Amino acid sequence: MKIKTMGYMIKQGFIGLWRNRGMSFASIASVTASLLVLGMIIILVLNMNNIAEMGQSQFDNIQVYLEDELENEQISNIGAELENIQGVSYVEYESQDDALEKMKESWGEQGYLLETLENNPLPDSYVVYFQELEASQAVVRNIERITGVDEVRYYQDVIDNLVNIADFVQLAGLILIGILGLIAMFIISNTIKLTLNARRQEISIMKYVGATNWFIRWPFVVEGIFLGFFGSLIALVVVYFGYEYVYNLVYARFYALFAEYIVSAEAMLQQITVMFIVIGIGVGILGSLISMRKHLKV
Amino acid sequence: MIEFQNVGKTYRQQVVALQDVNIKINKGEFVFLVGPSGAGKSTFIKLLLHEEKATSGKIMMNDEDITKVSNRRIPLLRRSIGVIFQDFRLLPNKTVYENIAFAMEIVEAKTKDIRRQVPAVLGLVGLSDKAKKYPNELSGGEMQRVSIARSIINNPSIVIADEPTGNLDPDTAWDIMRVLRNINERGTTVIMATHAKDIVNVMEQRVIAIEKGSVIRDDKKGVYGYED
Ligand SMILES: Nc1ncnc2c1ncn2[C@@H]1O[C@H](COP(=O)(O)OP(=O)(O)OP(=O)(O)O)[C@@H](O)[C@H]1O
Ligand SMILES: [Mg+2]
């Protein structure tokens, strides 16, 4: 395509946009709205996955408490059994004395209070490290079957729930986005239809003079691209600043506690910029193609 | 250079607009298409423009059967034909100059060529002083001359006119005929459907008469032959 022709297409696209300002505005708003919803879902899912992932690195081990009054031999047998379970990386023994020592340490200055205890109430335990988090549930089930094991403490159910919720949000979100995307496409195709009608006479002359089909179609595609592009641009700006605002709020209130679990606005922007623009433009192009299919015979 | 071979056209609802038409038109000819209303003249023209598809037969143009041409090539074929309509079909929001230049822009002509050719063609149709006017500032005859200028701007080898004088008074109609004759004398084939009895009779050119979809007369120096 010649530069001059490209200039003509872009100019026509803008003229179309301006001619039906009202509908163009509605189209852009619908693209923006769809992408805003998408943005919220991405933020939710991104953060949930982030928390799950962070949690995973902190909860990649569990504590297995043993029954009281086991023989030393039984204890080491259990250790060997634990290590043999599929999915277990390694185990560390923590005797009741070790546990008490640890507790004293964590109590700090008040640690001396524990020395007044007549007998140690803490159980012996093993700390079991997983190879990967996903398999941990099966591992736990196997551990619970071992005789001599009293109780298993772990955070898997929290993480599982988080992952499940993230999956659900993602699925529901995708369906919602699909519907909103269709609505945006419908509005765009109606906007393009107005331009088509306004240019009907021009198009008929273009055909008689021998304009190629794509020469006739391009301005409408360009108009669709503009509608989608502007819609995605506005959505990006709103999502970015909106998220940054909320992020700062959370950061100020919970500071260190949450900060590392939450994705930063910059990181989020990086993830969605290309996606938003591609989706916006894609919806715009599809809308204009649909319109031309229905209303333009070339 | 144009040849209809057993051409038939049936519209939906079984309307037979043309049947078994056999016609040969050579390069540089001036041809009148006459016949009563509904005879099939406009259909004949639409087949040439590929606006409608023939339902049977072959239409040869420059040794190519245009009934078999792919959709992609149709625009290229149309560039070798200029069209003129009874209702002018000018774009109201463009000046005379822009209306003509538009036809060149569409086929991606160079700006340099547009600047050179548009004034030349405006001179040919006698409208050099109206270049900056809008269609609603022109008389019917002037509008038709703009549409003629537009039809020849890309140097087509054929100009097709469907009742070009239908909306004009007799004097203005003759102005238009002089322009068309002029174009024809420069070597362009002109095919004109018309109900203008006087014009056909005075011009003494080839006349093809169509009735109920069939060619009933084809005279080298013909007359109109109807009473309306
Ligand atoms: N698009 C169409 N669909 C169905 N029938 C059509 C269509 N166009 C034309 N016809 C019919 O085909 C026949 C020929 O029409 P055409 O327009 O070719 O006549 P014409 O000779 O140009 O008439 P006029 O002198 O009034 O312009 C008529 O019976 C007309 O009703
Ligand atoms: Mg007609």
Side-chain angles (χ1 to χ4, degrees), chain B residues 41-43 162-163 193 195:
Chain B
K41 305 182 293 294
S42 294
T43 302
D162 197 349
E163 303 191 38
H195 290 282

Side-chain angles (χ1 to χ4, degrees), chain B residues 18-56:
Chain B
L18 284 179
Q19 52 187 343
D20 204 27
V21 173
N22 287 284
I23 284 287
K24 197 167 176 179
I25 298 170
N26 290 315
K27 186 171 166 48
E29 274 196 277
F30 196 115
V31 181
F32 285 116
L33 286 179
V34 302
S37 185
K41 305 182 293 294
S42 294
T43 302
F44 184 96
I45 285 172
K46 282 175 183 163
L47 292 183
L48 278 177
L49 292 174
H50 233 295
E51 206 179 325
E52 295 285 352
K53 274 193 159 62
T55 30
S56 59

Side-chain angles (χ1 to χ4, degrees), chain A residues 98-293:
Chain A
D98 295 340
L100 191 65
E101 205 53 43
K102 248 191 183 172
M103 196 176 247
K104 268 187 200 160
E105 255 169 54
S106 70
W107 282 30
E109 303 219 323
Q110 278 78 45
Y112 69 91
L113 293 172
L114 294 171
E115 286 175 19
T116 59
L117 287 174
E118 268 177 30
N119 46 40
N120 186 346
L122 299 173
D124 296 322
S125 70
Y126 276 106
V127 180
V128 176
Y129 290 87
F130 298 128
Q131 278 161 357
E132 52 188 307
L133 190 77
E134 277 71 33
S136 63
Q137 212 142 30
V139 176
V140 169
R141 251 181 277 117
N142 283 329
I143 292 174
E144 280 167 339
R145 252 181 248 135
I146 298 172
T147 41
V149 169
D150 186 38
E151 200 191 347
V152 180
R153 285 263 179 89
Y154 72 114
Y155 300 91
Q156 178 61 32
D157 41 357
V158 179
I159 292 168
D160 274 353
N161 280 339
L162 211 55
V163 170
N164 282 341
I165 294 170
D167 281 352
F168 175 76
V169 169
Q170 201 163 1
L171 182 71
L174 283 180
I175 293 170
L176 188 62
I177 292 301
I179 294 168
L180 288 173
L182 282 178
I183 293 173
M185 214 141 73
F186 175 77
I187 295 176
I188 288 175
S189 86
N190 273 295
T191 309
I192 304 274
K193 182 175 134 191
L194 292 182
T195 309
L196 266 164
N197 285 336
R199 292 189 62 205
R200 211 156 272 285
Q201 194 191 9
E202 207 176 324
I203 290 168
S204 112
I205 291 167
M206 288 167 89
K207 277 191 235 170
Y208 283 125
V209 180
T212 59
N213 293 344
W214 274 106
F215 191 92
I216 293 173
R217 285 189 193 120
W218 263 111
F220 301 104
V221 176
V222 169
E223 191 178 336
I225 289 176
F226 280 152
L227 291 173
F229 179 69
F230 291 141
S232 62
L233 226 52
I234 295 172
L236 277 173
V237 170
V238 173
V239 167
Y240 176 74
F241 286 107
Y243 183 67
E244 196 178 48
Y245 178 75
V246 174
Y247 179 84
N248 287 337
L249 222 67
V250 171
Y251 200 87
R253 200 157 287 182
F254 303 101
Y255 194 59
L257 195 64
F258 265 120
E260 64 173 325
Y261 289 107
I262 293 184
V263 181
S264 74
E266 279 74 24
M268 198 261 321
L269 194 65
Q270 249 178 17
Q271 296 242 15
I272 63 170
T273 302
V274 173
M275 185 199 297
F276 272 33
I277 290 174
V278 167
I279 292 177
I281 288 178
V283 167
I285 291 177
L286 280 176
S288 99
L289 289 182
I290 289 169
S291 189
M292 284 192 277
R293 230 193 132 79

